[in-house]
């Protein structure tokens, strides 16, 4: 695992965006061989998306030959609801770049058969050739996508019941009314993410410090599902100083020295 430590959220967002953009540019995607990008939602990737939008507007990168697969979506929340992840992605990313609508894939939480929807999503990823780079964030309890604590580390795309902690955390998007927060979601599995050729997670703020500690410096455990990334051959975690508050001094120095070329 590679760990990049930046001073603050803006710096980590810029680093992550530059990395994603460079991977797409290096791949030189074509209609016949597109670049497949996995996309997260939530507050963590907003800076990453803003930087990618700026690069696209400046003509430094194009998404015309990029196919995206989102990590998750709420169950039984209308797609046009302002807090659906369809709305989130359009408002914060897709409406501002040159991606083709037919290349965007987001789970349908209103599908008549949710199990079939999840199975078809896995098939669509496979048909696209697999995900080249899956972006993601880390929840305060260490969850990745909606793979809550206790999720199988070999899980695939499926229906998940959200934990009380996640419902409370997401209530800020629903006027702090817990009754309005969906209780279930469709999510890619940890196994789905692990199949990607590369995974890049962003993590910022002191409230994520305990999760980051377990992700990169703890044992691999279904209680902290993002810790499974320790087993990925090409995983990167981009974090800020505040998120490192609970790392051991040795771990913190090791990753700084490694990026400086001292190791």
């Amino acid at each position: 695992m590679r760990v990049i430590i930046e001073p603050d959220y803006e710096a980590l967002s810029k680093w992550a965006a530059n990395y994603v953009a460079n991977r797409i540019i290096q791949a030189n995607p074509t209609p016949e061989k597109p670049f497949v990008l996995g996309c997260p939602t939530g507050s963590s990737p907003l800076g990453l998306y803003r930087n990618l939008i700026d690069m696209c507007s400046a003509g430094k990168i194009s998404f015309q030959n990029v196919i995206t697969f989102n990590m998750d979506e709420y169950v039984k929340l209308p797609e046009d609801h302002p807090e659906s992840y369809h709305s989130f992605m359009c408002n914060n990313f897709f409406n501002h770049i040159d991606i083709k609508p037919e290349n965007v894939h987001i789970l349908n939480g209103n599908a008549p058969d949710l199990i079939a929807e999840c199975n078809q999503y896995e098939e669509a990823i496979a048909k696209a050739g697999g995900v080249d780079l899956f972006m993601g964030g880390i929840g305060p309890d260490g969850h990745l996508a909606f793979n809550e604590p206790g999720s199988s580390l070999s899980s695939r795309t499926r229906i998940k019941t959200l934990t009380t902690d996640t419902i409370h955390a997401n209530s800020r998007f629903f006027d702090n009314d817990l009754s309005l927060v969906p209780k279930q979601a469709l999510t890619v599995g940890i196994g789905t993410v692990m199949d990607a050729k590369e995974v890049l997670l962003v993590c910022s703020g002191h409230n994520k410090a305990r999760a980051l500690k377990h992700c990169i410096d703890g044992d691999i455990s279904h209680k902290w599902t993002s810790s499974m990334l320790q087993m990925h051959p090409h995983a990167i975690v981009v974090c800020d100083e505040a998120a490192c508050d609970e790392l051991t001094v040795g771990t913190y120095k090791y990753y700084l020295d490694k990026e400086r070329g001292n190791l």
Side-chain angles (χ1 to χ4, degrees):
M1 179 182 288
R2 185 180 179 189
V3 178
I4 307 297
I5 301 171
E6 293 290 330
D8 52 37
Y9 179 72
E10 291 303 319
L12 80 84
S13 297
K14 186 173 183 179
W15 193 100
N18 284 334
Y19 185 87
V20 172
N22 286 335
R23 297 303 287 157
I24 294 172
I25 292 168
Q26 289 166 7
N28 193 25
T30 64
E32 296 74 28
K33 189 173 173 46
F35 189 91
V36 183
L37 185 66
C39 296
T41 53
S43 57
S44 294
L46 286 174
L48 164 59
Y49 288 149
R50 283 194 296 268
N51 278 276
L52 287 174
I53 290 167
D54 289 344
M55 283 186 268
C56 184
S57 298
K60 297 178 181 178
I61 184 175
S62 172
F63 291 88
Q64 289 194 10
N65 294 318
V66 172
I67 293 176
T68 63
F69 286 91
N70 256 74
M71 281 188 157
D72 39 32
E73 176 59 289
Y74 289 118
V75 168
K76 299 191 183 306
L77 194 68
E79 285 187 9
D80 59 358
H81 189 285
E83 297 305 331
S84 77
Y85 289 158
H86 279 76
S87 294
F88 177 97
M89 291 304 300
C90 289
N91 294 335
N92 292 295
F93 193 38
F94 295 144
N95 286 351
H96 309 285
I97 58 174
D98 60 347
I99 194 166
K100 298 174 183 175
E102 62 268 26
N103 285 347
V104 171
H105 298 83
I106 305 177
L107 283 154
N108 180 7
N110 296 287
D113 186 335
L114 294 177
I115 294 176
E117 170 69 11
C118 292
N119 292 337
Q120 290 165 8
Y121 204 69
E122 289 278 342
E123 292 170 3
I125 292 174
K127 185 177 180 181
V131 176
D132 292 300
L133 173 59
F134 229 131
M135 305 181 291
I138 303 175
D141 60 4
H143 71 253
L144 177 57
F146 274 129
N147 294 285
E148 305 281 36
S151 295
S152 167
L153 297 180
S154 61
S155 55
R156 312 303 304 189
T157 303
R158 67 211 185 285
I159 309 165
K160 281 293 293 182
T161 298
L162 306 185
T163 65
T164 300
D165 283 347
T166 296
I167 292 169
H168 274 273
N170 290 351
S171 67
R172 68 188 189 278
F173 302 119
F174 294 86
D175 297 323
N176 292 310
D177 187 340
L178 296 177
S179 68
L180 298 179
V181 185
K183 304 305 186 288
Q184 289 185 313
L186 303 184
T187 181
V188 296
I190 294 297
T192 313
V193 176
M194 290 293 289
D195 280 350
K197 297 179 182 70
E198 287 188 272
V199 182
L200 183 146
L201 301 187
V202 292
C203 182
S204 69
H206 176 75
N207 67 318
K208 300 289 183 71
R210 189 161 64 111
L212 182 66
K213 174 185 177 181
H214 284 276
C215 176
I216 69 175
D217 205 17
D219 296 331
I220 296 171
S221 170
H222 65 287
K223 294 180 180 179
W224 301 87
T225 55
S226 58
S227 66
M228 187 60 178
L229 269 293
Q230 295 177 34
M231 296 293 294
H232 198 285
H234 300 290
I236 302 175
V237 177
V238 191
C239 54
D240 60 13
E241 292 280 355
C244 296
D245 284 351
E246 294 198 21
L247 295 181
T248 63
V249 173
T251 297
Y252 175 80
K253 284 186 153 184
Y254 169 77
Y255 284 116
L256 282 180
D257 285 344
K258 190 175 181 183
E259 289 305 315
R260 291 168 179 162
N262 295 331
L263 294 176

